[in-house]
Amino acid sequence: MPDVAILGATGYTGAELLRILSQHRHVRVVYAGSRQYSGMRVEEVFPFLRGAYSGLVFGDDEPSDIDAELFFCALPHGVSMEVVSLLVKRGRRVIDLSADFRLKDPAVYEKWYREHTAPELLDSAVYGLPEFYREDIKDARLVANPGCYPTGALLPLLPLLKEGLLEPEGIIIDAKSGVSGAGRKATLETQFVELAEGFHPYRVLGHRHTPEIEQVLGELCGGKFRVAFVPHLLPVARGILTTIYAPLKEGVSPESFQRVYREYYQNEPFVRVLEGGRLPDIKHVRGSNFCDVGIRVDQDRGLAVIVSAIDNLVKGASGQAVQNMNIMYRLPETEALDSPPLGV
Ligand SMILES: NC(=O)c1ccc[n+]([C@@H]2O[C@H](COP(=O)([O-])OP(=O)(O)OC[C@H]3O[C@@H](n4cnc5c(N)ncnc54)[C@H](OP(=O)(O)O)[C@@H]3O)[C@@H](O)[C@H]2O)c1
């Protein structure tokens, strides 16, 4: 039964970790970190967790003083790399939810984020997408939990590209995210009045998740990938709907798509492939670790339209992190993750 610590426990992903882990039968949350709420009880800050963590108080201790076996780092990028580096050097296992250890090339990280201060850890960090890296995750000391948009794009794309059903060039990823994706701290852009009744793209062709998606596609499918990625901000709290437009390889039949998805995902507990042309809805995965995938194929136009839906805070962050922990500790992979989506 590993004792776990959550750093950045008062952010949206930290709170979601607390929520999910309150249901876990084999781990104990022994530490929840926060600077702003240090000294306050978990249920004072998050009344929805009333009764779940009696006695647990947010702390602002030096990470090296915290006694836990596994650390979830739900800190902003840049902050995380310093903390993670220290923890790994002290022999702790870490699941990092930030972007700091996802990109393998420090020069690429520097181009999209900032200078990397722990590049020596990049090689050994395992990309925490269980459906494709499960074996490596088992013994990883450091898991780089995937970004929310990359999760929503990679799960539908990878089987089709690996099996050569799609052309590798000309892929367009058009994604819409709920506002919790931007984190909990107050900003003008994420205020209710600024967002409600509106809908807009942002960081068009310049979002930091682009190199992450391209890196994983290249690593698992071979070759160099370039995708057009356009995120949008949806005025809802949670959820990412991703619509992918991809050119078909010549001669590929519509039936082969369902066959390939079945081969890859029929035994995966958290990927639900919709049959009969049905398409996903973020409402149908809300509060769950599912990624729903649907597809339409137009042979006349040589085009596949693939749609996925995830909850950005669950399969896009904290749920996937708990799934990774379950794999690392040989626990049932669905432990604490098997409640059905909220539906409404
Ligand atoms: N939101 C999502 O959907 C999502 C999805 C996938 C990955 N992620 C990644 O997960 C990480 C956390 O995201 P989030 O949305 O939960 O962020 P958030 O809501 O902004 O929360 C950040 C947390 O980190 C703490 N923190 C902030 N600055 C800190 C500093 N300088 N030193 C120590 N602690 C600090 C905050 O608490 P105090 O200020 O009280 O210390 C808070 O608990 C980010 O790296 C994000 O990119 C987020």
Side-chain angles (χ1 to χ4, degrees), residues 7-15 33-38 46 58 60 73-80 83 96-100 102 113 145-149 177-185 209 240 311-314 316-318:
L7 305 181
T10 51
Y12 284 141
T13 60
S34 166
R35 299 163 308 166
Q36 296 180 65
Y37 300 95
S38 173
F46 295 128
F58 288 108
D60 187 18
C73 282
L75 298 166
H77 66 82
V79 178
S80 208
V83 174
D96 182 33
L97 280 78
S98 86
D100 285 353
R102 297 180 199 148
Y113 293 88
N145 214 58
C148 47
Y149 283 124
S177 172
V179 191
S180 60
R184 190 158 172 253
K185 70 177 175 317
H209 286 168
I240 295 181
D311 183 324
N312 56 296
L313 292 179
V314 190
S318 310

Side-chain angles (χ1 to χ4, degrees), residues 131-132 134 155 158-160 162-165 255-269 271 273 275:
E131 291 74 8
F132 291 89
R134 187 171 279 112
L155 287 173
L158 280 168
L160 307 180
K162 275 168 77 73
E163 299 306 317
L165 270 54
E255 297 72 45
S256 37
F257 285 82
Q258 290 293 350
R259 178 180 51 74
V260 164
Y261 274 146
R262 215 170 297 125
E263 268 169 31
Y264 276 74
Y265 290 141
Q266 66 185 350
N267 296 320
E268 286 297 340
V271 183
V273 179
E275 308 254 337

Side-chain angles (χ1 to χ4, degrees), residues 126-165:
V126 175
Y127 193 69
L129 191 65
E131 291 74 8
F132 291 89
Y133 292 92
R134 187 171 279 112
E135 284 311 306
D136 295 333
I137 292 166
K138 282 182 182 163
D139 296 315
R141 300 226 58 87
L142 168 56
V143 168
N145 214 58
C148 47
Y149 283 124
T151 299
L154 290 168
L155 287 173
L157 273 176
L158 280 168
L160 307 180
L161 283 166
K162 275 168 77 73
E163 299 306 317
L165 270 54

Side-chain angles (χ1 to χ4, degrees), residues 57-109:
V57 171
F58 288 108
D60 187 18
D61 297 69
E62 283 301 317
S64 50
D65 294 339
I66 301 166
D67 191 16
E69 192 178 327
L70 173 73
F71 284 72
F72 289 99
C73 282
L75 298 166
H77 66 82
V79 178
S80 208
M81 68 177 120
E82 310 277 346
V83 174
V84 169
S85 162
L86 185 137
L87 291 169
V88 170
K89 282 182 188 133
R90 286 177 179 259
R92 310 294 199 218
R93 297 183 92 181
V94 179
I95 299 174
D96 182 33
L97 280 78
S98 86
D100 285 353
F101 296 93
R102 297 180 199 148
L103 295 170
K104 291 291 173 198
D105 182 345
V108 177
Y109 181 88

Side-chain angles (χ1 to χ4, degrees), residues 256-321:
S256 37
F257 285 82
Q258 290 293 350
R259 178 180 51 74
V260 164
Y261 274 146
R262 215 170 297 125
E263 268 169 31
Y264 276 74
Y265 290 141
Q266 66 185 350
N267 296 320
E268 286 297 340
F270 298 117
V271 183
R272 301 191 296 193
V273 179
L274 311 185
E275 308 254 337
R278 285 201 307 278
L279 296 171
D281 185 325
I282 51 172
K283 211 170 188 177
H284 302 158
V285 295
R286 200 159 162 261
S288 83
N289 202 44
F290 288 122
C291 174
D292 282 1
V293 180
I295 187 157
R296 294 276 170 89
V297 177
D298 184 337
Q299 270 184 313
D300 293 340
R301 288 165 190 79
L303 183 71
V305 175
I306 313 146
V307 184
S308 78
I310 60 169
D311 183 324
N312 56 296
L313 292 179
V314 190
K315 187 59 173 165
S318 310
Q320 185 139 264

Side-chain angles (χ1 to χ4, degrees), residues 82 167 178 196-197:
E82 310 277 346
E167 292 289 354
E197 319 298 333

